[in-house]
Structures are given as structure tokens and as C-alpha cells.
């Protein structure tokens, strides 16, 4: 599997491919904190060392929305009540799914950007996911060199659509880090596993998922 079509939610029952599916919800209607801007702030170069996870009522509400949507979608796939499904997480480990309070092998990864939230689910194990709005990043050369590695930095010099290529490379790296439960840090090495590009039903978004050592 080289790519995966992401489904808007609510919608039809997801059809897992090799045990994997992903849903996207629109969180732009989430209430904003007093005094907040009406449009999301861009993830510029200064934001990349600390990914735009954000805090505050709007971000918290988006997290609640996507966790609820993930439980609903998974409940339909597994044919069980959503109330029996819990999205659990602990420091240093990727999120995972509890079924009726019992830990399962099902992995889940969540990502938010530009008024959207994504949930990617792997019925067979850990998964990492990241989405990002395509944009022109100031000082992209330094960011790519420090966080994406010399090969990607060199490739970006010659691409015809650098904003898209950078976003794709960034989300690929973030997805791999999430799958391996690692924090963003300066470039060290490639991470094991398989990367799958996402076909997103929203303009100007790009993203990837990453699974373990199984060949996709």
C-alpha cells in the first residue's frame, strides 16, 4: 500500500486496507478562546522545533471531537458499541485502544491542523499520523537540514513545488516519530517501518501515516 484514501466523518462505514483506515473531521466550528484570531496561525520555521500541538479551549475541543469520531468509526468497523471503546495514552508510548477496558493491539494516531483533525487506526499495531497545511515555510533550508536530514534538504533545492514537497517530507517524518513514540529532535537517522501517503478530502492539506516493520 503506497497511499490511503482518507474518509470524511461522519460518513459510510470505513473499509480498512490491510487493517488500516483514517478519517478526517472539520473542527473549524470548534469554539475559539476569547481574543483568538479567526484563522489558524501558520506553522512557520519557529514553530517546527515545537510542533503546533497548541493549548486552550479550541484545541481541547478539537481533541475531544476527533477522539469521539474515532471511537464512533471504529465501533462501526468492529460492530460494537462506541461506549466500549476507549482511546488510551501514556507518556512515552503511542496511543492505543481499549476494548471494554482491556488493552488491544489496535493502534491509533491523531493529528490536527488548519481546522481539520485526523484519526488513523491500525487494527494490527502501532501507527503514526501527521497532517499539515501546505505553505511556504520561511527559512525552510535550515529547518530541512536540522530536522529532515541532508538527503531531503538537498532534494528540496531542486523541486518544482517546494511548499508541497516540504510539507510531504515534514509529515512523513512526524508520522514516523509518532509511530515510534519519539519526540521531535534534530536529524539522526531514518526510522524503521513503512510510510504511506494520505489522499485527503480537503484542499491544501498533505499528510502521511507510518506503521511498524510490516511491509506496506
Amino acid at each position: 500500500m503506497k497511499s490511503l484514501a482518507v474518509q470524511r466523518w461522519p460518513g459510510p462505514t470505513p473499509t480498512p486496507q490491510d487493517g488500516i483506515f483514517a478519517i478526517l473531521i472539520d473542527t473549524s466550528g470548534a469554539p475559539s478562546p476569547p481574543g483568538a484570531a479567526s484563522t489558524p496561525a501558520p506553522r512557520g520555521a519557529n514553530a517546527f522545533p515545537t510542533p503546533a500541538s497548541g493549548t486552550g479551549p479550541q484545541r481541547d475541543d478539537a481533541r475531544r471531537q476527533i477522539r469521539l469520531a474515532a471511537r464512533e468509526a471504529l465501533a462501526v468497523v468492529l460492530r460494537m458499541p462506541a461506549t466500549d471503546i476507549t482511546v488510551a495514552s501514556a507518556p512515552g508510548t503511542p496511543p492505543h485502544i481499549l476494548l471494554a477496558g482491556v488493552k488491544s493491539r489496535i493502534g491509533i494516531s491523531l493529528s490536527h491542523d488548519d481546522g481539520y483533525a485526523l484519526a488513523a487506526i491500525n487494527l494490527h499495531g502501532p501507527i503514526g499520523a501527521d497532517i499539515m497545511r501546505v505553505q511556504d515555510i520561511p527559512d525552510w533550508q535550515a529547518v530541512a537540514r536540522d530536522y529532515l536530514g541532508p538527503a531531503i534538504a538537498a532534494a528540496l533545492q531542486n523541486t518544482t513545488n517546494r511548499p508541497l514537497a516540504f510539507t510531504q517530507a515534514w509529515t512523513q517524518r512526524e508520522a514516523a516519530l509518532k509511530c515510534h513514540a519519539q519526540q521531535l529532535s534534530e536529524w539522526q537517522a531514518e526510522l524503521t517501518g513503512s510510510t504511506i501517503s494520505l489522499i485527503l478530502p480537503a484542499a491544501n492539506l498533505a499528510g502521511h501515516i507510518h506503521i511498524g516493520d510490516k511491509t506496506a
Side-chain angles (χ1 to χ4, degrees):
M1 187 198 315
K2 295 182 179 179
S3 62
L4 179 73
V6 178
Q7 178 180 313
R8 282 190 179 270
W9 189 263
T13 299
T15 303
Q17 298 183 43
D18 295 335
I20 299 168
F21 69 93
I23 60 169
L24 187 77
I25 65 170
D26 185 337
T27 62
S28 59
S32 300
S38 58
T39 56
R43 279 209 290 196
N46 291 337
F48 283 95
T50 305
S53 56
T55 58
Q58 186 175 25
R59 192 68 174 182
D60 291 343
D61 192 69
R63 285 194 181 102
R64 286 190 292 268
Q65 287 186 52
I66 190 58
R67 284 173 176 257
L68 175 60
R71 291 171 54 219
E72 292 173 344
L74 185 57
V76 175
V77 171
L78 298 180
R79 299 181 180 180
M80 64 184 300
T83 53
D84 287 346
I85 299 173
T86 303
V87 180
S89 57
T93 62
H96 59 276
I97 297 294
L98 303 181
L99 300 179
V102 178
K103 185 175 180 178
S104 73
R105 65 185 301 186
I106 301 174
I108 182 170
S109 187
L110 310 173
S111 184
H112 314 259
D113 201 14
D114 199 24
Y116 291 96
L118 175 102
I121 294 174
N122 181 8
L123 300 178
H124 305 310
I127 188 171
D130 191 60
I131 58 172
M132 179 180 163
R133 175 164 57 93
V134 177
Q135 58 187 298
D136 192 10
I137 303 300
D139 299 328
W140 66 266
Q141 297 98 326
V143 177
R145 181 186 64 248
D146 291 345
Y147 296 98
L148 301 179
I152 295 296
L156 288 173
Q157 293 280 357
N158 301 315
T159 184
T160 57
N161 188 345
R162 187 175 297 120
L164 176 60
F166 180 94
T167 304
Q168 290 173 332
W170 186 267
T171 57
Q172 182 174 344
R173 181 64 176 173
E174 283 270 29
L177 289 168
K178 287 183 179 181
C179 182
H180 288 271
Q182 294 186 20
Q183 297 294 320
L184 178 65
S185 62
E186 291 192 1
W187 175 259
Q188 295 180 2
E190 295 285 355
L191 296 170
T192 59
S194 302
T195 296
I196 300 166
S197 64
L198 295 177
I199 304 171
L200 290 153
N204 214 35
L205 279 181
H208 284 83
I209 59 175
H210 190 96
I211 57 175
D213 292 324
K214 178 182 176 182
T215 301

